[in-house]
Amino acid sequence: MRRARQTVVEFLLSDHPQDCTLCQKNGHCELQSVAEKMGVREIRVPRTDFTHHRMDDSSPSLIRDASKCINCLRCVTACAEVQSVSCLTPEARGFNCKVVPAMGADLMDAVCVMCGQCAVVCPTGAIVERDEVDKVWAALEDSSKHVIVQEAPAIRAMLGEEFDLPPGTLVTGKMIAALRRLGFDKVFDTNFTADLTIIEEGNELLKRVKNGAHCP
């Protein structure tokens, strides 16, 4: 059983990019973790070159690299059953199977709502959030720029968990102090637009309850 599992992992790795140290998922990649746990130290499957796919970077928030996809279909499930969007779907079968938006369109041309749930469940680096940290550092290091940061209200109640604080702990002061220490000239809060969102959600709830389409 162990040898069979190792063989499966080797097959996956034989058609996978070997840029682990440069991948955004490095250290958090489940394929990487499974290979380590299974003791895979070499790929015995003949490896010529992995299947190249065009990278989809059309979205302002997500980057999709099908070359790193292992066809686990988690993104398909999350998109269809959690978000009810059904943007992603498997195309073709067997070794030629790949997960794409309908008709092979880019995310910007599909029904994608940029929610990011596909990136959350993706075990490899096939779908990741667009990383613009370098642009932020470049702006902060440019003395000629007046750099402003605007954070969403939910962040101050979520950020503390990254530092082992109890879930829901408000870290507003710590967060603002840290942002100012990083070099931001002004820190703004998206309170007003968040209030508008709450009003909209409240109206939608009342409408659904009135129509009997409410859910506990």
Side-chain angles (χ1 to χ4, degrees):
M1 178 66 74
R2 182 175 176 80
R3 284 195 298 270
R5 294 174 66 191
Q6 287 178 328
T7 302
V8 171
V9 174
E10 288 178 33
F11 271 117
L12 288 172
L13 292 173
S14 70
D15 191 50
H16 198 81
Q18 301 294 298
D19 62 346
C20 293
T21 56
L22 304 177
C23 181
Q24 187 174 327
K25 277 278 192 172
N26 184 33
H28 304 282
C29 174
E30 290 186 39
L31 180 59
Q32 194 179 52
S33 299
V34 169
E36 173 66 25
K37 290 178 180 179
M38 293 306 304
V40 177
R41 297 290 179 267
E42 61 177 334
I43 303 174
R44 295 169 295 173
V45 182
R47 175 183 169 85
T48 52
D49 195 6
F50 68 90
T51 306
H52 287 274
H53 296 283
R54 182 178 61 86
M55 184 178 294
D56 178 7
D57 61 353
S58 61
S59 164
S61 52
L62 297 170
I63 294 179
R64 188 172 61 87
D65 185 359
S67 299
K68 297 180 180 180
C69 179
I70 59 173
N71 293 330
C72 67
L73 305 186
R74 290 187 191 177
C75 58
V76 177
T77 302
C79 191
E81 298 183 12
V82 177
Q83 295 302 103
S84 301
V85 177
S86 299
C87 172
L88 299 171
T89 183
E91 181 185 82
R93 294 191 177 188
F95 191 75
N96 296 319
C97 179
K98 57 182 179 179
V99 176
V100 294
M103 307 301 292
D106 289 338
L107 288 176
M108 279 299 290
D109 299 323
V111 295
C112 178
V113 296
M114 314 297 170
C115 67
Q117 292 303 313
C118 54
V120 172
V121 299
C122 180
T124 62
I127 303 179
V128 295
E129 294 180 16
R130 183 180 290 277
D131 187 356
E132 296 186 333
V133 172
D134 289 339
K135 292 183 180 179
V136 175
W137 281 120
L140 289 173
E141 293 167 359
D142 188 344
S143 59
S144 66
K145 290 186 176 181
H146 187 81
V147 189
I148 296 172
V149 59
Q150 182 167 334
E151 45 86 13
I155 301 301
R156 57 173 165 262
M158 298 169 57
L159 189 60
E161 295 182 42
E162 295 294 326
F163 298 93
D164 298 324
L165 295 175
T169 302
L170 294 178
V171 292
T172 310
K174 294 182 176 65
M175 177 184 64
I176 295 174
L179 290 170
R180 293 303 300 272
R181 289 287 296 274
L182 285 172
F184 287 100
D185 297 295
K186 289 290 187 294
V187 181
F188 289 149
D189 196 308
T190 322
N191 274 324
F192 177 67
T193 46
D195 289 341
L196 294 180
T197 302
I198 293 171
I199 293 172
E200 182 65 26
E201 290 174 345
N203 287 329
E204 182 180 346
L205 174 62
L206 292 175
K207 182 178 179 181
R208 290 194 179 197
V209 171
K210 182 178 179 181
N211 295 335
H214 56 281
C215 172

